[in-house]
């Protein structure tokens, strides 16, 4: 199945992880800031990596994408996606809201999420790659 | 092939190196820092209990570990090598030296013992090399309405258990009262709401907010904080707005801080005044794209002044890197081959890795790291095995 990695980033952490995932599974990678929802294709699996910033907000590079989604109201039936969120448990009330918002946005447009949304905690002991690469491998095995 | 030297291994310099490495994969990029260790304010400015924020370091590690960027630590511009010499050696030189002087209050008594700048305090709490633990008493006035003021309040109000998972190794004094005073009205305060909300989780501090009128996310966050009163609180935090500092009082040490709001006066008894009103230092005169002179650039706080968080410095560094990439001529200067013999004592990335490893290994119970606290000890560790 064709696969593409997308990322929303503010400090660059999600960008680096998305590039690592894309390199690991051999897929293309794009910044959500440069991605038009009209380009979503049924039959492609999108792996979306996003952080959370500020008070549970989307990171800067995902905001133009969210605006386009709201304006275009695309029909994403047949589109499959998975979300890897990056959060910081120092801020428990809004932990990983970025990933949650992307999931809600995609699901509301008719896309189907594959597997569970996974979250990395910047204040936790795990390296993001150690969670994300096996996550991507498992998705590729499903696809 | 192009060669670029960046002065300052803090967030501005590292983000600039990252963007340059992406735009010019063949360029040789060297980062110099006056400290023996990299990462600047990420390591010595970001609060020790915000390890998630410090995690951007993992991006920068990759510069040195995989992207061929070389670190020259313990190299001071003007002492070990001159800017003129660097400009001869490199096609482009970037000054990412930041601003590290605490801005003074500029009122009578602002130099009394007991008046401390936030930079001095946060560097000490972050175990900056050769810093001295600040003498902080039981009654503290914090002047400033930005995130640095919130960092000071939070760390002073936290219990030892609440610092679990941090790299704070100093024992902070048992403060009983903190007054946070801002010159502007609450509506104009520069706090990030999320930083204020974090104070609402303090388990041993009560919070009272005085005179926060208006609308907006900061006002909402302050309203949520007001009346926070965990059982057995040992510290009372009071926020005040719209008060202009008039004088710091005391003979041999601070005894009070006095403020004015129109005809009103507020005198707060205290033994310590912490100022968090911004930073000064040598700003660089540059054009809007970050050029100081041909082949010489600046980014980060040295360019824009002491405003903006990590992402803003990233955006700034990316823009300056794009300017540099567009300006570069044919290249071919002698680069690090010429620098290395001039600074034989420089700490390389492998030396930093030895320091890093030693710091992690020395972490006490409940902490992630115990930083090496003197330059001499850092250099000894860095040179071991070389």
């Amino acid at each position: 199945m064709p696969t593409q990695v997308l990322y929303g980033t503010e400090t660059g952490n999600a960008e680096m992880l998305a590039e690592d995932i894309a390199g690991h599974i051999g897929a293309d990678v794009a910044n959500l800031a440069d991605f038009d929802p009209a380009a979503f294709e049924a039959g492609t699996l999108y792996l979306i990596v996003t952080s959370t910033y500020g008070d549970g907000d989307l990171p800067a590079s995902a905001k133009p994408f969210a605006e386009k989604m709201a304006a275009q109201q695309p029909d994403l039936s047949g589109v499959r996606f998975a979300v890897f969120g990056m959060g910081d448990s120092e801020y428990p009330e809004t932990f990983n809201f970025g990933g949650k918002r992307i999931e809600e946005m995609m699901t509301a447009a008719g896309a189907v999420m594959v597997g569970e949304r996974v979250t990395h905690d910047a204040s936790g002991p795990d390296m993001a790659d150690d969670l994300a690469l096996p996550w991507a491998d498992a998705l590729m095995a499903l696809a | 092939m192009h060669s670029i030297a960046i002065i300052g291994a803090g967030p501005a310099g590292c983000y600039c190196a990252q963007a340059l490495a992406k735009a010019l994969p063949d360029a040789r990029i060297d980062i110099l820092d006056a400290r023996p260790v990299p990462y600047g304010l990420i390591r010595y400015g970001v609060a020790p209990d915000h390890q998630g924020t410090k995690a951007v370091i993992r991006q920068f590690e990759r510069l040195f570990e995989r992207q061929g960027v070389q670190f020259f630590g313990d190299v001071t511009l003007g002492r070990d090598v001159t800017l003129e010499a660097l400009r001869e050696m490199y096609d482009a030189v970037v000054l990412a030296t930041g601003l590290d002087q605490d801005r003074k209050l500029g009122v009578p008594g602002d130099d009394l013992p007991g008046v401390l700048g936030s930079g001095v305090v946060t560097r000490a709490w972050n175990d900056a090399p050769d810093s001295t633990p600040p003498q902080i008493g039981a009654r503290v006035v914090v002047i400033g309405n930005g995130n640095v003021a919130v960092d000071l309040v939070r760390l002073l109000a936290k219990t030892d258990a609440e610092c679990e998972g941090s790299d704070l190794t100093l024992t902070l004094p048992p403060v009983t009262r903190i007054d946070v005073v801002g010159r502007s009205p609450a509506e104009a305060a520069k706090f990030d709401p999320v930083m204020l909300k974090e104070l609402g989780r303090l388990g041993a501090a009560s919070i009272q907010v005085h005179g926060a009128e208006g609308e907006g996310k900061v006002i909402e966050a302050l309203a949520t904080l007001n009346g926070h009163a965990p059982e057995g609180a040992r510290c009372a935090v009071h926020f005040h707005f719209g008060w202009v500092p008039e004088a710091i009082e005391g003979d041999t040490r601070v005894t009070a801080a006095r403020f004015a709001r129109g005809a009103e006066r507020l005198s707060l008894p205290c033994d310590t005044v912490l100022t968090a009103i911004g930073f000064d230092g040598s700003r660089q005169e540059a054009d809007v794209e970050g050029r100081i002179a041909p082949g010489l650039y600046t980014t980060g706080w040295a360019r824009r002044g002491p405003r903006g968080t990590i992402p803003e410095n990233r955006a700034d560094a990316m823009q300056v890197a794009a300017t540099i990439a567009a300006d570069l001529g044919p290249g071919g200067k002698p680069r690090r081959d010429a620098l290395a013999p001039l600074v034989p004592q420089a700490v390389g990335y492998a030396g930093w890795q030895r320091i890093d490893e030693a710091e992690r290994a020395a972490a006490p119970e409940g902490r992630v790291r115990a930083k090496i606290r003197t330059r001499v000890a850092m250099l000894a560790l860095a040179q071991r095995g070389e």
Side-chain angles (χ1 to χ4, degrees):
Chain A
M1 171 179 263
T3 309
Q4 181 169 19
V5 180
L6 300 172
Y7 64 85
T9 196
E10 179 99 24
T11 65
N13 290 340
E15 177 174 352
M16 180 171 83
L17 182 65
E19 287 173 352
D20 286 355
I21 292 170
H24 182 68
I25 61 175
D28 282 341
V29 60
N31 190 336
L32 279 173
D34 306 323
F35 187 83
D36 190 322
F40 276 120
E41 285 181 17
T44 295
L45 174 64
Y46 295 90
L47 308 190
I48 308 177
V49 181
T50 184
S51 60
T52 304
Y53 207 76
D55 199 7
D57 300 326
L58 286 172
S61 97
K63 283 180 178 166
F65 171 77
E67 284 160 18
K68 282 180 217 155
M69 285 288 284
Q72 296 177 14
Q73 301 275 321
D75 175 9
L76 300 186
S77 307
V79 170
R80 302 207 296 159
F81 72 100
V83 176
F84 189 95
M86 302 179 80
D88 186 345
S89 60
E90 283 288 336
Y91 305 98
E93 293 95 343
T94 57
F95 181 56
N96 197 31
F97 270 33
K100 196 166 157 232
R101 279 169 209 262
I102 292 285
E103 177 191 337
E104 287 164 359
M105 202 179 293
M106 294 294 289
T107 307
V112 173
M113 186 161 85
V114 183
E116 297 276 308
R117 181 159 51 81
V118 177
T119 304
H120 173 259
D121 177 9
S123 289
D126 296 318
M127 298 292 275
D129 282 56
D130 293 343
L131 291 183
L133 300 185
W135 167 82
D137 284 336
L139 286 165
M140 297 312 284
L142 279 177
Chain B
M1 189 200 286
H2 291 107
S3 61
I4 299 155
I6 298 171
I7 319 301
C14 286
Y15 274 126
C16 191
Q18 185 184 56
L20 284 167
K22 213 165 203 175
L24 306 161
D26 295 330
R28 301 287 289 265
I29 301 167
D30 296 338
I31 307 185
L32 289 62
D33 202 288
R35 289 202 181 98
V37 295
Y39 310 134
L41 274 187
I42 304 284
R43 197 172 140 89
Y44 293 122
V46 170
D49 62 337
H50 278 176
Q51 292 295 315
T53 305
K54 292 186 193 254
V56 293
I57 283 175
R58 289 179 197 144
Q59 290 181 52
F60 304 148
E61 288 172 345
R62 196 161 288 197
L63 293 170
F64 303 111
E65 291 172 11
R66 299 195 199 167
Q67 293 174 280
V69 175
Q70 198 161 324
F71 178 62
F72 289 85
D74 197 40
V75 173
T76 300
L77 197 62
R79 185 194 71 189
D80 300 310
V81 60
T82 64
L83 182 58
E84 293 68 34
L86 282 177
R87 292 181 70 191
E88 288 297 314
M89 288 178 228
Y90 290 87
D91 299 303
V93 175
V94 186
L95 299 176
T97 42
L99 295 173
D100 66 352
Q101 305 290 313
D102 285 299
R103 186 175 291 159
K104 299 275 283 182
L105 270 178
V107 300
D110 70 355
D111 53 356
L112 274 173
V115 181
L116 297 162
S118 64
V120 167
V121 174
T122 42
R123 282 194 289 275
W125 290 351
N126 268 306
D127 297 321
D130 306 308
S131 57
T132 316
Q135 295 294 311
I136 292 173
R139 289 199 63 148
V140 178
V141 169
V142 174
I143 301 178
N145 267 180
N147 292 336
V148 175
V150 181
D151 279 340
L152 296 173
V153 171
R154 188 184 66 252
L155 283 160
L156 286 174
K158 272 189 171 181
T159 61
D160 185 68
E162 286 174 317
C163 293
E164 179 133 351
S166 74
D167 59 9
L168 180 74
T169 55
L170 289 179
T171 303
L172 300 189
V175 172
T176 55
R177 165 118 184 180
I178 306 171
D179 289 278
V180 186
V181 187
R183 156 191 299 269
S184 49
E187 261 189 327
K190 294 192 177 73
F191 302 127
D192 272 334
V194 67
M195 295 274 295
L196 287 174
K197 286 184 188 173
E198 202 181 346
L199 297 179
R201 294 198 298 279
L202 290 170
S206 65
I207 300 174
Q208 295 285 318
V209 178
H210 307 277
E213 281 135 26
E215 286 175 20
K217 289 195 163 182
V218 167
I219 299 289
E220 285 166 29
L222 287 167
T224 313
L225 283 184
N226 190 24
H228 176 70
E231 202 173 321
R234 64 153 171 90
C235 178
V237 179
H238 291 257
F239 282 89
H240 312 264
F241 297 96
W243 294 99
V244 177
E246 264 196 337
I248 308 299
E249 295 171 346
D251 294 327
T252 55
R253 189 183 168 89
V254 175
T255 55
R258 203 174 72 230
F259 302 86
R261 186 168 67 186
E264 293 175 275
R265 292 292 178 275
L266 175 69
S267 182
L268 295 168
C270 59
D271 47 48
T272 310
V273 171
L274 304 180
T275 62
I277 54 169
F279 300 93
D280 275 331
S282 49
R283 287 269 299 277
Q284 304 296 331
E285 293 290 328
D287 71 10
V288 289
E289 289 174 303
R291 291 183 197 88
I292 298 172
L296 183 62
Y297 302 83
T298 181
T299 187
W301 280 6
R303 174 189 176 201
R304 304 192 325 283
R307 291 180 313 279
T309 52
I310 290 168
E312 286 165 66
N313 281 291
R314 174 173 181 260
D316 182 87
M318 289 167 86
Q319 186 258 298
V320 173
T323 303
I324 296 169
D327 283 355
L328 280 172
K333 288 198 179 175
R335 59 182 187 272
R336 75 181 60 134
D337 309 343
L339 175 64
L342 287 184
V343 290
Q345 86 291 353
V347 174
Y349 189 72
W352 153 245
Q353 286 179 305
R354 282 189 284 277
I355 295 169
D356 186 31
E357 197 180 318
E359 289 184 343
R360 290 172 196 271
E365 181 70 28
R367 299 291 187 269
V368 295
R369 171 187 297 271
K371 288 183 190 144
I372 308 295
R373 291 166 72 168
T374 67
R375 179 175 164 273
V376 167
M378 284 178 168
L379 295 180
L381 268 166
Q383 277 143 17
R384 191 172 296 166
E386 277 189 3

